[in-house]
Amino acid sequence: MNVNAVMENGTAYNDSHLLAYPVEYIAGIDLYNAGEFHAAHDAWEERWMGEVGPDEKLFLQAMIQSAVAFHHLQINRPGAARQMYLRAQEKFERLGKDMFMSLDIADYLNQLHRALSWLLSVADPRELTPPAITPPTIKLVDEVGEFD
């Protein structure tokens, strides 16, 4: 991704995103970036349960599952976190897009991997002492991207 394409003012999105995207998507971003993973899940799920196209539905499901992975870590359920992490990865792969709703998916997946790959290092992640992790920061690229 072109680093210059990411907003430089430190915000997760711009006014164009507010006009183009559903309020639930934007609200979920704010909640996720604040570490309110269960609430982000709820915001995205509200949109996901409505009338949305197949790509947006798959994308939102991947976002929901990635948020739920971090929620499970917050409540000390690393096995469930691993399941959600793997499911989110699979959904992003099925989506097959580099960018969707202005999210650089490769960058997001790289951040997700850095935060959660330790869950895959043993057969049962409950055997591990969880390391200090930094969840991904969702920061949309300037251009308003496609969604269905």
Side-chain angles (χ1 to χ4, degrees):
M1 182 184 112
N2 179 350
V3 177
N4 294 328
V6 175
M7 292 169 290
E8 295 177 9
N9 63 3
T11 62
Y13 47 81
N14 62 35
D15 290 342
S16 296
H17 298 124
L18 291 173
L19 295 172
Y21 297 129
V23 65
E24 300 91 346
Y25 178 54
I26 299 297
I29 291 170
D30 287 339
L31 291 162
Y32 185 99
N33 285 344
E36 298 291 334
F37 301 112
H38 192 272
H41 153 276
D42 289 342
W44 290 328
E45 187 175 62
E46 186 175 327
R47 172 76 182 169
W48 175 78
M49 291 175 60
E51 293 292 323
V52 297
D55 285 347
E56 184 181 357
K57 191 168 273 290
L58 189 60
F59 172 77
L60 289 171
Q61 191 172 23
M63 296 300 290
I64 290 164
Q65 289 173 334
S66 65
V68 171
F70 290 104
H71 172 68
H72 281 303
L73 288 178
Q74 289 174 325
I75 59 172
N76 297 315
R77 297 190 64 214
R82 176 169 66 183
Q83 289 176 347
M84 288 296 105
Y85 168 48
L86 291 171
R87 289 179 185 169
Q89 281 185 307
E90 183 270 331
K91 300 289 185 310
F92 282 121
E93 288 172 14
R94 279 186 25 215
L95 183 63
K97 297 187 183 288
D98 296 329
M99 186 90 54
F100 195 80
M101 295 180 83
S102 299
L103 181 68
D104 181 334
I105 293 173
D107 177 65
Y108 182 74
L109 283 172
N110 285 336
Q111 291 184 68
L112 203 60
H113 181 70
R114 282 193 300 273
L116 299 178
S117 62
W118 65 275
L119 292 167
L120 307 177
S121 65
V122 294
D124 184 349
R126 293 174 296 181
E127 299 170 358
L128 298 172
T129 301
I133 61 168
T134 302
T137 299
I138 298 174
K139 192 170 189 178
L140 303 182
V141 298
D142 275 338
E143 307 86 40
V144 171
E146 67 173 283
F147 74 103
D148 51 18

